[in-house]
């Protein structure tokens, strides 16, 4: 027979309100009564329904994960891995994850979820400059956290050490005797682009050298200029094409292949981000490995602690691996 708040209240000779308060941990009841109820529900293996829990705790037990609607198919491995980390950790807190498509082009799904109280908190999976998503959340009085450094002291975030990792990669390449590099970067409206650009420059600086600014090309994600930019870089003597992420690297590899330019014989190639998008590449690509699943997990953990009123601070995950492969040999 299924147990209800009514049947538990009758069995223990208590009011339904008292039982509800004992289960939710909210409201004024004696510690003795709370323990009595919790001991009994453990014995009968009672789990309150999602609706009952929501009413008792004044929570939805849903967290919103904002994924940019304009994300290209090639970016999906990253968002999927991040999502896995968020969902796995959310289960530990008995939370469900609601996927919301929103970015600077439109935030209607996010507005709808927040204003209709469908979620208790929000994770923003991509950090854009002048973000409409973050601007809306700031005014909404709902706990939220951002993946990536929003360059804003008032916003809680978790991020990989993109700058430090990029710098180490460049230093490693310089140690191999590669000193003339072109950088193919993503959108200037995304904060991680600036972190990786800074890391590129710092890597040269740490080795007493200077990056060639004329060989830095940004906003290349949806660019029809890729072919001409690569030809320009190679004609200017670039020994290595450094790509800011796996998607750009995949595009560069295809362009070079189509132009009959061999990697690593004619030009070397590396990526500041590794994913299964590059796992079958020929040759295998030198890249930086970050644990995006862990990033998602840490994000959810920090957000839940914030939701419970705990004082939390930003986190930078410094773990990464430089994977030296055939494309830079």
């Amino acid at each position: 027979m299924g147990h209800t708040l009514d049947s538990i209240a009758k069995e223990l000779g208590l009011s339904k309100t008292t039982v509800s308060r004992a289960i939710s941990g909210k409201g004024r009841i004696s510690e003795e009564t709370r323990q009595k109820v919790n001991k009994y529900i453990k014995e009968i293996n009672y789990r309150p329904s999602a609706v009952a829990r929501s009413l008792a705790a004044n929570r939805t037990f849903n967290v919103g994960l904002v994924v940019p609607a304009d994300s290209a198919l090639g970016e999906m491995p990253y968002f999927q891995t991040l999502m896995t980390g968020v969902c796995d950790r959310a289960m530990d807190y008995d939370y469900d994850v609601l996927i919301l498509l929103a970015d600077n082009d439109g935030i209607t799904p996010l507005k709808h979820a927040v204003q209709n109280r469908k979620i208790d908190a929000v994770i923003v999976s991509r950090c854009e400059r002048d973000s409409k998503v973050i601007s809306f959340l700031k005014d909404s009085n709902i706990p939220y956290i951002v993946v990536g450094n929003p360059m804003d002291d008032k916003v809680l975030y978790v991020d990989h050490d993109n700058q430090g990792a990029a710098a180490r990669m460049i230093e490693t390449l310089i140690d191999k005797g590669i000193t003339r590099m072109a950088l193919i970067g993503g959108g200037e409206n995304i904060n991680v682009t600036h972190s990786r650009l800074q890391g590129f420059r710092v890597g040269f600086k740490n080795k007493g050298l200077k990056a060639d600014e004329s060989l830095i090309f940004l906003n290349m994600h949806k660019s029809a200029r890729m072919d001409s930019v690569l030809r320009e870089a190679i004609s200017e003597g670039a020994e290595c094409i450094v790509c800011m992420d796996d998607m750009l690297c995949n595009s560069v590899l295809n362009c070079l292949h189509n132009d009959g330019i061999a990697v690593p014989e004619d030009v070397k190639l590396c990526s500041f981000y590794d994913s299964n998008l590059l796992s079958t590449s020929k040759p295998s690509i030198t890249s930086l490995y970050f644990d995006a699943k862990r990033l998602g997990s840490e994000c959810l953990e920090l957000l839940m602690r914030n939701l419970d009123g705990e004082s939390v601070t930003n986190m930078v995950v410094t773990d990464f691996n430089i994977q030296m492969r055939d494309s830079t040999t």
Side-chain angles (χ1 to χ4, degrees):
M1 184 188 108
H3 297 278
T4 64
L5 285 180
D6 273 331
S7 67
I8 294 168
K10 279 179 187 156
E11 184 64 34
L12 295 175
L14 299 168
S15 74
K16 192 173 159 185
T17 305
T18 300
V19 171
S20 176
R21 282 177 176 172
I23 291 170
S24 70
K26 302 271 170 75
R28 287 165 57 182
I29 60 167
S30 71
E31 188 56 35
E32 186 186 343
T33 304
R34 196 186 309 280
Q35 286 179 8
K36 179 181 176 182
V37 172
N38 286 322
K39 181 170 182 277
Y40 180 68
I41 65 172
K42 218 172 195 176
E43 284 169 9
I44 63 173
N45 200 24
Y46 171 75
R47 282 180 66 80
S49 73
V51 173
R53 281 195 314 132
S54 296
L55 291 171
N58 196 23
R59 285 190 183 185
T60 65
F61 293 95
N62 291 325
V63 63
L65 175 62
V66 176
V67 177
D70 70 351
S71 57
L73 191 62
E75 293 175 273
M76 278 302 115
Y78 167 72
F79 288 121
Q80 193 177 5
T81 310
L82 184 83
M83 201 183 300
T84 305
V86 170
C87 293
D88 282 359
R89 199 74 186 93
M91 282 177 68
D92 296 338
Y93 284 92
D94 231 0
Y95 259 74
D96 292 314
V97 179
L98 202 64
I99 306 299
L100 305 166
L101 297 178
D103 51 39
N104 274 1
D105 291 332
I107 61 168
T108 303
L110 174 63
K111 266 186 175 174
H112 184 264
V114 171
Q115 289 168 354
N116 291 313
R117 301 191 176 178
K118 291 181 177 292
I119 50 178
D120 298 328
V122 180
I123 294 170
V124 182
S125 68
R126 189 175 74 186
C127 195
E128 294 181 277
R129 294 206 150 184
D130 303 317
S131 170
K132 288 180 183 171
V133 169
I134 294 173
S135 181
F136 169 73
L137 290 171
K138 274 183 173 177
D139 295 336
S140 298
N141 199 27
I142 187 171
Y144 67 96
I145 190 167
V146 176
V147 181
N149 187 345
M151 316 290 182
D152 185 335
D153 295 341
K154 297 182 181 70
V155 177
L156 183 67
Y157 74 89
V158 171
D159 195 14
H160 287 305
D161 182 16
N162 285 289
Q163 180 177 319
R168 284 291 303 122
M169 170 69 95
I170 296 306
E171 290 168 29
T172 304
L173 292 173
I174 291 171
D175 287 343
K176 283 174 63 70
I178 303 165
T179 56
R180 192 151 174 76
M181 304 179 215
L183 180 66
I184 305 293
E188 286 182 275
N189 63 315
I190 300 168
N191 285 4
V192 71
T193 298
H194 297 273
S195 301
R196 288 169 177 162
L197 173 59
Q198 192 61 16
F200 181 78
R201 288 172 172 148
V202 167
F204 278 94
K205 190 179 174 190
N206 288 347
K207 289 293 178 180
L209 300 171
K210 199 170 186 309
D212 186 337
E213 295 292 321
S214 73
L215 291 179
I216 294 173
F217 307 94
L218 301 183
N219 300 307
M220 294 298 293
H221 262 105
K222 296 171 183 174
S223 175
R225 298 185 302 130
M226 187 68 88
D227 258 327
S228 59
V229 158
L230 292 174
R231 278 197 288 269
E232 181 188 334
I234 291 167
S235 71
E236 289 291 320
E239 304 163 90
C240 183
I241 309 292
V242 179
C243 303
M244 280 200 183
D245 62 43
D246 51 337
M247 192 175 147
L248 284 166
C249 191
N250 200 41
S251 299
V252 167
L253 195 59
N254 286 335
C255 280
L256 293 173
H257 178 75
N258 291 340
D259 286 348
I261 298 165
V263 177
E265 294 82 2
D266 299 331
V267 69
K268 300 180 193 311
L269 180 65
C270 78
S271 172
F272 281 160
Y273 190 80
D274 187 32
S275 80
N276 57 15
L277 192 66
L278 299 179
S279 62
T280 56
S281 293
K282 295 280 185 281
S284 56
I285 306 296
T286 289
S287 52
L288 285 170
Y289 173 76
F290 295 97
D291 189 347
K293 185 177 177 184
R294 183 188 164 196
L295 196 68
S297 178
E298 298 284 8
C299 228
L300 193 282
E301 171 81 20
L302 216 56
L303 184 61
M304 288 295 113
R305 284 166 52 195
N306 187 34
L307 188 59
D308 287 336
E310 200 180 316
S311 178
V312 290
T313 54
N314 302 325
M315 174 185 281
V316 176
V317 180
T318 55
D319 297 352
F320 64 87
N321 289 321
I322 297 176
Q323 305 186 118
M324 300 303 291
R325 294 182 175 139
D326 298 344
S327 64
T328 53
T329 54

